[in-house]
Amino acid sequence: MKVHDSLFPFKCDSPGCNETYDINKFLDVYGLWGIIFLHNKYNDLIGITCPKCRKTTLKKYYRDSGDYLMDEIGGAYYALYSVNELFKLDLISMPEGIKGSQNPDERYTIPKKFDIAHGFAVNKMPRKFLFGICEDDINIFLDIENDGKFNNEEYKDLRFKAFPRIVAKNENYNYDVFLADFYLPDGTFRAYIDDVNNKLRYGLEHYLEKKKYGYPDTIKYELFKHDDMSFAEYSRIKPYPDDNIIINKMEEFRKEYSIIRSRIDFEFVFKNEFINNYVRLFYGSYESEISDSVALAKEIEKNLPESQNYENLFVKVGGNWLVKFNGKLTTVRENEGKKASAIHYLVYLLERPNEKINNIVISSAVYTICSEKNNPSDMRDESDYSNIKPTGSYEDVLSEKDIEKYKETINKLLQDAGKSDGVEKEYILESIDETKNHLLNNYGMEVKISGNPPKANIEHKYYKLKKEAERIRSNLTVNLKNVREKIGREIPELETYLKNCVKVSNTKSSYIPQLFDGKQINWCIAWTTNTL
């Protein structure tokens, strides 16, 4: 192989393609499906599979030529794709003519910079033996990737990886570690259904979130952005998988995953076919004559004739909320059990127009309603939070050294007070109070005095309360945004109206009604059909 002096521009060697890559386009390919990077004592082997022609190009460079490229890559795995892996999966027959190399200085192996994806780390062999290839065998491996002849006719038009890849660090490469937990050492089958639920749900939601909020700028290729499960379909997926189906289909799941993971386009197939198909299979969907939220809403309204008397409506019917606005209908499903749902926070605010309500009170009230607890002790006390200043609003932040100086000053005053009496003692105690007020008002620090003889301790009075208040504000913001978007799939004008009228601040939230099409909006809100 010719030794190249410079890594970039990197040119695809496939006849008729000749696509050229600078470092930015090269990193785009890394984000798409990984890059090849191997080295021996003397040289680096660096390559990619070109997204344009789907062919792999590998070039030889002087040792350490690719170090600056590796520095551009953040968290990453080495996924140990190999000819041996393809042979083990019965995808290929072992090619003839592989020479190998007994000289460790000549054997190309994986660098030590990145971790090995757990699914591939199947033994404790030294890293230099986990993958090794001599230069005479490189073209054989390239032929497998670019023009492979596979044992199964089903795979004749597919491309599989014969070289390991540096891939973005995520759990898609580690599913077989998770799946291995389904088997005990004696071969007895066991299913961790919760693990399946979490793993598959996470995999699907991860891609739907990307589709929903837009893909990172680093993802330039449309094939990576495609997803064949719509939000409407996902909204009908049942919340828990069918245990029996998982038990019966897990071996099929394992086998298919092992094969697609070795495909050139694994990342694309994984999210667009594998995850979606098995989520559909394992979970099923709410299917009947009612196939979507609008049809369900019409069915509920037909069976609840009193709801037809109102133009704008939120009413709880079983596990769903019927929503009506501007002549349109939809439904929003609650969380199962007594857990608060996003819809609850919205309804709570809509019931209280023009009120600025403390976020703590909203969270506590919804918790009380959803948990069916009416004990006032369940409600958190707003008064503890009334003096909390927004993060960063104190004049300065005290260092540990400053705090120690204040403690020494106050302890010295306490000692002097213990030795004094009358006017002098009163003057010293006033000095202590002034210092305490200064620390509290300017730094949010509270001075506590205890013990005999008395000693001072200084701590953040509002730190935990402030942290809790921020958590609740963030949770409220996310929940209101999510429920708006669910409603907006069928009633986009209501999503816009709520976005303009429902506001969350650092400490309080409110619903301030606005005119819609020149008319005042009056809501009928019912937590049960009995109160409609």
Side-chain angles (χ1 to χ4, degrees):
M1 295 180 72
K2 175 184 175 182
V3 180
H4 295 263
D5 294 323
S6 176
L7 180 56
F8 299 108
F10 185 96
K11 186 177 180 181
C12 174
D13 288 343
S14 177
C17 179
N18 297 323
E19 186 77 2
T20 301
Y21 295 85
D22 60 16
I23 187 170
N24 293 321
K25 288 178 67 177
F26 206 87
L27 291 172
D28 289 341
V29 177
Y30 158 73
L32 179 67
W33 48 33
I35 61 176
I36 301 169
F37 188 99
L38 302 168
H39 65 194
N40 63 17
K41 184 176 181 180
Y42 313 105
N43 298 104
D44 291 342
L45 283 178
I46 300 175
I48 59 171
T49 299
C50 174
K52 181 180 177 181
C53 66
R54 307 290 182 92
K55 299 289 186 177
T56 300
T57 296
L58 193 62
K59 298 181 187 290
K60 180 179 176 181
Y61 302 89
Y62 292 109
R63 176 65 189 254
D64 300 331
S65 296
D67 282 3
Y68 78 99
L69 173 65
M70 296 301 99
D71 291 339
E72 292 292 321
I73 295 174
Y77 278 142
Y78 247 108
L80 295 182
Y81 304 109
S82 67
V83 170
N84 286 336
E85 182 76 7
L86 298 179
F87 175 72
K88 185 177 70 175
L89 294 170
D90 197 30
L91 292 171
I92 63 169
S93 300
M94 187 57 72
E96 296 180 2
I98 293 181
K99 296 179 180 179
S101 175
Q102 299 303 315
N103 185 342
D105 290 342
E106 296 179 353
R107 184 188 297 118
Y108 285 98
T109 60
I110 63 174
K112 296 180 179 179
K113 182 176 178 64
F114 301 116
D115 295 331
I116 298 169
H118 301 306
F120 295 88
V122 293
N123 54 49
K124 301 296 183 182
M125 291 176 65
R127 200 176 254 252
K128 65 181 180 179
F129 296 116
L130 281 174
F131 184 86
I133 179 176
C134 76
E135 192 164 318
D136 291 338
D137 297 332
I138 288 174
N139 285 333
I140 297 175
F141 284 44
L142 278 172
D143 285 344
I144 291 173
E145 289 214 0
N146 292 332
D147 303 295
K149 302 295 188 291
F150 299 102
N151 294 339
N152 194 322
E153 189 70 14
E154 177 184 351
Y155 306 126
K156 68 176 182 177
D157 296 324
L158 303 179
R159 295 288 175 264
F160 290 87
K161 299 174 183 128
F163 294 96
R165 278 357 187 234
I166 299 175
V167 294
K169 186 175 284 189
N170 63 56
E171 301 212 349
N172 296 349
Y173 302 93
N174 296 334
Y175 263 63
D176 52 355
V177 173
F178 139 73
L179 294 172
D181 290 339
F182 279 72
Y183 292 88
L184 295 171
D186 62 0
T188 305
F189 184 81
R190 69 175 179 186
Y192 293 142
I193 302 300
D194 286 344
D195 286 348
V196 175
N197 184 35
N198 293 337
K199 199 81 170 180
L200 289 181
R201 281 271 169 181
Y202 172 80
L204 180 62
E205 289 173 1
H206 173 70
Y207 291 113
L208 283 176
E209 284 296 301
K210 279 191 173 182
K211 182 178 178 182
K212 182 177 182 180
Y213 295 115
Y215 289 81
D217 291 339
T218 53
I219 306 302
K220 306 296 183 183
Y221 297 101
E222 289 301 318
L223 70 89
F224 193 78
K225 299 180 182 182
H226 173 73
D227 196 301
D228 72 347
M229 181 177 285
S230 66
F231 291 113
E233 181 184 356
Y234 178 70
S235 68
R236 295 197 298 273
I237 293 293
K238 293 179 180 177
Y240 297 103
D242 186 311
D243 296 7
N244 292 325
I245 293 178
I246 287 180
I247 291 171
N248 293 330
K249 293 290 185 177
M250 186 49 62
E251 186 56 35
E252 176 185 312
F253 181 97
R254 287 162 57 92
K255 183 177 180 181
E256 185 176 349
Y257 170 75
S258 298
I259 291 173
I260 72 161
R261 188 174 63 177
S262 288
R263 284 177 57 170
I264 291 288
D265 55 355
F266 162 64
E267 291 79 2
F268 171 69
V269 176
F270 180 84
K271 79 183 187 67
N272 289 293
E273 297 176 15
F274 185 75
I275 282 289
N276 288 347
N277 290 343
Y278 276 98
V279 164
R280 291 179 181 119
L281 177 65
F282 288 165
Y283 290 82
S285 61
Y286 292 102
E287 295 290 353
S288 63
E289 58 193 76
I290 301 165
S291 59
D292 57 40
S293 58
V294 175
L296 177 58
K298 290 179 179 178
E299 186 76 9
I300 291 173
E301 188 182 46
K302 184 173 72 175
N303 296 322
L304 196 64
E306 53 267 48
S307 67
Q308 300 173 26
N309 299 327
Y310 302 96
E311 291 184 9
N312 307 300
L313 177 73
F314 277 82
V315 59
K316 186 177 182 301
V317 183
N320 292 283
W321 281 81
L322 174 65
V323 180
K324 186 177 180 182
F325 183 80
N326 195 33
K328 296 181 181 179
L329 293 168
T330 190
T331 52
V332 177
R333 198 161 71 233
E334 287 185 335
N335 294 329
E336 292 198 352
K338 297 179 180 179
K339 186 179 178 182
S341 299
I343 185 73
H344 299 145
Y345 298 103
L346 175 61
V347 170
Y348 184 86
L349 284 169
L350 294 181
E351 285 184 306
R352 296 160 177 81
N354 297 308
E355 292 184 32
K356 292 185 177 180
I357 309 170
N358 191 287
N359 296 334
I360 305 294
V361 172
I362 297 170
S363 176
S364 184
V366 169
Y367 162 80
T368 303
I369 294 167
C370 295
S371 61
E372 299 177 359
K373 294 180 179 179
N374 297 310
N375 186 342
S377 64
D378 291 326
M379 300 284 286
R380 282 165 285 191
D381 187 359
E382 178 190 357
S383 63
D384 285 342
Y385 298 81
S386 58
N387 293 321
I388 297 177
K389 296 183 181 181
T391 302
S393 66
Y394 293 109
E395 290 179 1
D396 204 349
V397 177
L398 285 179
S399 67
E400 291 298 324
K401 188 175 181 180
D402 291 333
I403 292 173
E404 287 302 317
K405 286 182 178 178
Y406 273 107
K407 285 170 66 174
E408 289 175 8
T409 299
I410 295 172
N411 286 331
K412 178 66 168 59
L413 290 171
L414 288 170
Q415 290 176 7
D416 292 344
K419 300 174 183 177
S420 307
D421 54 21
V423 175
E424 184 181 359
K425 182 173 184 177
E426 188 174 326
Y427 174 78
I428 294 173
L429 293 176
E430 285 181 1
S431 296
I432 293 174
D433 286 340
E434 287 176 1
T435 304
K436 289 169 65 176
N437 290 333
H438 171 76
L439 288 169
L440 182 62
N441 294 330
N442 292 294
Y443 303 106
M445 308 293 288
E446 184 176 33
V447 178
K448 292 186 176 181
I449 297 173
S450 60
N452 188 16
K455 288 189 176 180
N457 187 39
I458 302 175
E459 59 186 30
H460 287 276
K461 175 175 175 59
Y462 298 126
Y463 179 77
K464 290 183 178 179
L465 296 179
K466 193 189 301 182
K467 200 171 182 180
E468 171 72 355
E470 173 57 23
R471 184 193 66 78
I472 289 173
R473 183 207 62 78
S474 176
N475 181 61
L476 193 57
T477 300
V478 170
N479 274 289
L480 290 172
K481 181 176 184 291
N482 288 344
V483 73
R484 281 200 318 263
E485 290 176 347
K486 285 181 181 179
I487 292 170
R489 294 172 197 168
E490 306 297 344
I491 316 178
E493 58 267 44
L494 180 53
E495 179 183 6
T496 302
Y497 176 81
L498 294 173
K499 186 176 182 179
N500 293 332
C501 298
V502 177
K503 301 295 182 182
V504 180
S505 71
N506 282 337
T507 57
K508 295 184 178 182
S509 299
S510 61
Y511 162 57
I512 309 299
Q514 296 180 6
L515 297 179
F516 179 81
D517 282 350
K519 297 184 296 184
Q520 184 68 45
I521 298 299
N522 296 308
W523 291 105
C524 172
I525 295 175
W527 289 78
T528 67
T529 55
N530 295 331
T531 58
L532 186 63

